[in-house]
Amino acid sequence: MVVRTDTGKVHVSLDEGSKWTVLPAPDYAEHTPTEFLSIIRHPYFEDYAYFVPRDGKTALYTDDEARTTRVIRLPSVPALHPPLRFHPEYPDWLLFMGKCTDPQCSAQGFVSRDHGLHWDTIHGALGPAGCAFLRTDRAHKPHRQSIACARHIDTGGDVVVSTDWFRTEHTLVSNATDFAIFGEFLL
């Protein structure tokens, strides 16, 4: 069990709530966050959870039910909630929605294929839905690299899709401001 308090502290119980301890910090981290904005459980790999800080670009994650934690460097400060999205087959593939450096842009998307060691920008000026892998635990037909993003532009927005990490893209729906994936359906 993992809980976040109203002050942003995270506590862990490994015995169904009988005893609680503070989330363990990694031994090797120079700066470890102690206040967290959110806890995000990986929907496809149950031992994984991510602890996103209130500010800063250093987050923690666990892959062993919060017995230990490791550092993951984020490409920017989180912009959308939840800021991380996950692939159903590859736990190292992550999407992150972070703040833009351009004041005209509220959020931009990043992808990592090595669990946050390297991040590539995939899309700027995102709408509220951000980006998501199209492949889910129930939708197996989309290409493994398929990503959809809600692109925000001054006149509205579009839902765009790419199968090559946004080297190329095509517009799936014009004049759309948001999308959601439910099982095998894109709404």
Side-chain angles (χ1 to χ4, degrees):
M1 296 175 75
V2 179
V3 297
R4 184 179 67 86
T5 67
D6 59 351
T7 61
K9 305 289 184 200
V10 173
H11 297 276
V12 178
S13 175
L14 299 174
D15 61 3
E16 299 179 358
S18 294
K19 296 177 196 159
W20 292 90
T21 59
V22 175
L23 181 71
D27 293 333
Y28 57 87
E30 292 176 19
H31 170 71
T32 302
T34 57
E35 293 186 8
F36 298 90
L37 174 69
S38 62
I39 300 169
I40 305 169
R41 188 178 156 269
H42 197 302
Y44 307 112
F45 295 88
E46 64 185 32
D47 291 345
Y48 284 70
Y50 297 80
F51 308 95
V52 180
R54 288 187 189 271
D55 54 15
K57 299 192 303 185
T58 301
L60 300 178
Y61 79 96
T62 182
D63 59 4
D64 62 4
E65 299 178 340
R67 286 177 172 77
T68 62
T69 59
R70 297 180 185 165
V71 169
I72 182 171
R73 305 272 182 226
L74 302 174
S76 75
V77 176
L80 300 176
H81 186 75
L84 284 168
R85 313 288 165 82
F86 306 96
H87 195 279
E89 297 167 337
Y90 302 102
D92 289 345
W93 289 11
L94 304 171
L95 294 175
F96 179 78
M97 274 43 71
K99 289 191 178 177
C100 296
T101 54
D102 179 357
Q104 301 292 328
C105 169
S106 62
Q108 66 185 51
F110 301 88
V111 65
S112 175
R113 294 175 297 252
D114 57 12
H115 215 108
L117 292 176
H118 303 93
W119 293 94
D120 296 315
T121 302
I122 55 170
H123 220 290
L126 296 177
C131 297
F133 289 106
L134 287 180
R135 197 173 185 107
T136 68
D137 57 340
R138 292 178 43 201
H140 303 285
K141 288 188 180 183
H143 189 277
R144 281 186 169 87
Q145 298 175 2
S146 294
I147 299 171
C149 292
R151 178 173 53 194
H152 175 74
I153 51 179
D154 292 336
T155 59
D158 298 323
V159 174
V160 293
V161 175
S162 176
T163 58
D164 60 5
W165 311 113
F166 277 93
R167 286 188 289 276
T168 61
E169 68 180 54
H170 72 273
T171 301
L172 190 63
V173 181
S174 297
N175 300 315
T177 58
D178 210 350
F179 73 91
I181 297 173
F182 292 99
E184 63 226 70
F185 301 102
L186 175 69
L187 306 175

